[in-house]
Amino acid sequence: MSAELTGAEIVVQALTDLGVEVIFGYPGGAVLPIYDALFAQGRIRHILVRHEQAAVHAAEGYARSSGKVGVVLVTSGPGATNAVTGITDALMDSIPLVVLTGQVPTHLIGTDAFQECDTVGITRHCSKHNYLVQDTARLGGVIHEAFYIARSGRPGPVVIDIPKDVQILKARYEKPGVIGHKTYKPQVKGNLSSIEAAVEMIAAAERPIFYTGGGIINSGPVATQLLRELARVTGAPVTSTLMGLGTMPNEHPQFLGMLGMHGSYEANMAMNRCDLMVCLGARFDDRVTGRLDAFSPNSKKIHVDIDRSSLNKTVRVDLGILGDVGGVMEDMLKVWKARGKKAGDLEQWWSDIAGWRARDSFGFEQKGETLLPQHAIKRLYEMTKAQKPIISTEVGQHQMWAAQHFGFDAPNKWLTSGGLGTMGYGLPAAIGAQVANPGALCIDIAGEASIQMNIQELGTASQYNLPVKIFIINNQYMGMVRQWQELNHGSRYSHSYSESLPDFVKLGEAYGWKGIVIDSASGLDEGIAAMLAHDGPVIVDCRVSKLANCFPMIPSGASHVDMILHADETRGEADEDAKALV
């Protein structure tokens, strides 16, 4: 018979049994018993952040870069509410997390006690699942079940709210056997007849395209290899969402780049003109589709997704396949090869794509000493690609420029806030990635506005000797806000100028970081080299053109054929036939 443990000891033992190595958290009164139990053990490492939102983003970076479940521990009331932004971010981007929150003792719940909030009610719609545990005997089983839910099916955050008395009372704990859930049993295996039908549609298509997303990365490294093999045998082009970058090598001849609002011209035009779209692990986000009634109007559509609710939610498809995208692609390849299928005659399709590629929609020309942000990121990529860095970003123009100009050849190297678009994500995410990958080069490509959202986490990196690099694209504006104000609001830059900026070098030095300023094109390579040469954390203030805009761009409410390619508002070379489609 197992010995009795306090609820706090059960938490620590269950996490240990689940293989947890790291927790990101911040202590407070309602979780002090758990912190006391952590103090008495030496197996789980705790990373003390400076804000609970950053704890969740750090756990996201840890999970996204490692493939493991991220774990967060925060107190009740403001601790839990501070974590809500990160929890929502993880839900939108399908990141597996378990978030442990403290709660006031059970007899005080509902009395407006000190630091009480309805955590379960608040997080019901921004978590994959949540629990309020009021019986210490149930605590261990709930934690094991929470990990199963967080990482199975479509991954996401699970919240466990634990009253303080439940942490103190004792109960017996035994490591469960097979973990599952009595009702949540996601379908992993795709329907074989549907997969066979999909193979026939791909083989018959004259203008096919694979539209890929973050679900392929969530499926694991094998799924990435299966996608590349599927592209090879079919000969079809591949495009990717923001969250799917890295599933295909950036320089692969079949890869058309990112699609959507700031995607490549060739990717968006191919999506518009294809006769068959195969959506693999993506969800038809509005930043990808543009105007729905003009989205890929003449194509048949296949959608593979592990989330039943995503099928036919936004875009009606001809064939929906419910299942893990990795397993479905594996079965597609088996059927393709068993039936002796060959790549179709796609010569005309690739000729059309070559014409769109010739527009060089991501092109730019660096002239003079005023540094273009695109050039800064392109050189950062060229000078670091041999080290295979892990890149995180904040949110804004710099995020889109990074997606356009930093080439990704492997999964789990690109950490960004896609669905929620959370400013302040990048620095804590880079910290989490650095904890998960101690020997890796982890760089946060930031904006001067976004970096200030969670800049207190400089202290976290210093405390744990994490050699994170921050590369600030400093244009002295909330750049994407300013760009939209220029295009849609008559250049009335209402409150988008970044006034009273700190001296980032001095601020970094105050936390023990090395600070570097780059303020000219001729000094760019030297500044990047100095950043890379320093073995500790570095903050780089890279001062770029103030009014550079992020193009290409699909204006809000427009279709793929209405892309603005350059600052002169020259639109894409969408011919009359393409216009007629919308």
Side-chain angles (χ1 to χ4, degrees), residues 23-329:
I23 294 174
F24 300 89
Y26 200 95
V31 285
L32 286 184
I34 298 176
Y35 271 89
D36 195 49
L38 284 172
F39 185 83
Q41 59 84 49
R43 291 160 292 185
I44 298 175
R45 185 183 183 193
H46 181 277
I47 303 296
L48 176 66
V49 296
R50 273 52 181 169
H51 191 284
E52 291 90 351
Q53 178 187 345
V56 187
H57 293 327
E60 286 185 273
Y62 179 91
R64 185 75 171 175
S65 65
S66 68
K68 301 176 183 178
V69 177
V71 182
V72 177
L73 175 60
V74 297
T75 194
S76 63
T81 57
N82 280 347
V84 165
T85 296
I87 294 169
T88 309
D89 189 275
L91 181 71
M92 294 282 278
D93 287 343
S94 305
I95 309 299
L97 302 181
V98 171
V99 181
L100 306 170
T101 61
Q103 185 55 273
V104 300
T106 51
H107 68 279
L108 291 179
I109 292 176
T111 68
D112 293 332
F114 178 65
Q115 289 194 334
E116 180 192 3
C117 73
D118 180 8
T119 301
V120 167
I122 289 170
T123 61
R124 179 169 289 120
H125 298 292
C126 66
S127 62
K128 185 176 178 181
H129 192 55
N130 62 17
Y131 302 86
L132 172 61
V133 183
Q134 299 187 69
D135 180 358
T136 303
R138 291 191 60 241
L139 188 53
V142 164
I143 292 172
H144 281 268
E145 187 177 275
F147 273 74
Y148 165 79
I149 293 172
R151 63 188 166 205
S152 62
R154 178 180 175 181
V158 178
V159 176
I160 306 176
D161 201 32
I162 312 174
K164 190 169 185 179
D165 57 327
V166 172
Q167 301 170 38
I168 295 171
L169 295 173
K170 289 189 173 184
R172 297 193 183 279
Y173 166 77
E174 292 184 5
K175 182 180 179 180
V178 177
I179 303 299
H181 188 275
K182 60 184 178 181
T183 59
Y184 178 62
K185 301 180 186 299
Q187 181 176 324
V188 176
K189 190 74 172 175
N191 179 272
L192 184 57
S193 63
S194 295
I195 291 170
E196 290 172 339
V199 167
E200 294 299 327
M201 292 169 71
I202 295 169
E206 296 178 355
R207 299 187 305 279
I209 188 170
F210 291 112
Y211 154 38
T212 65
I216 293 177
I217 294 174
N218 287 338
S219 184
V222 173
T224 299
Q225 298 307 315
L226 291 168
L227 169 66
R228 297 176 185 188
E229 176 65 7
L230 192 60
R232 185 189 68 80
V233 299
T234 62
V238 180
T239 184
S240 168
T241 66
L242 179 73
M243 298 302 294
L245 292 174
T247 54
M248 284 288 284
N250 183 65
E251 301 298 329
H252 195 287
Q254 287 175 254
F255 185 54
L256 307 188
M258 182 178 70
L259 79 161
M261 179 172 281
H262 292 285
S264 74
Y265 181 55
E266 55 267 29
N268 285 326
M269 285 301 296
M271 287 286 281
N272 182 269
R273 301 301 302 275
C274 68
D275 64 358
L276 177 67
M277 176 197 306
V278 185
C279 177
L280 300 170
R283 58 185 178 88
F284 294 101
D285 178 76
D286 61 288
R287 289 295 175 104
V288 163
T289 63
R291 205 175 90 216
L292 274 175
D293 64 351
F295 175 65
S296 197
N298 280 5
S299 69
K300 291 183 178 179
K301 299 174 180 67
I302 300 170
H303 187 187
V304 180
D305 206 293
I306 201 164
D307 181 1
R308 186 184 300 273
S309 69
S310 290
L311 299 176
N312 291 308
K313 179 174 70 175
T314 304
V315 171
R316 300 294 299 179
V317 299
D318 298 275
L319 177 61
I321 302 176
L322 180 65
D324 174 72
V325 69
V328 171
M329 288 191 294

Side-chain angles (χ1 to χ4, degrees), residues 530-553:
M531 178 190 81
L532 298 175
H534 186 67
D535 60 4
V538 182
I539 185 167
V540 177
D541 182 1
C542 184
R543 299 172 185 176
V544 300
S545 172
K546 293 183 181 181
L547 300 179
N549 283 336
C550 185
F551 291 110
M553 177 181 179

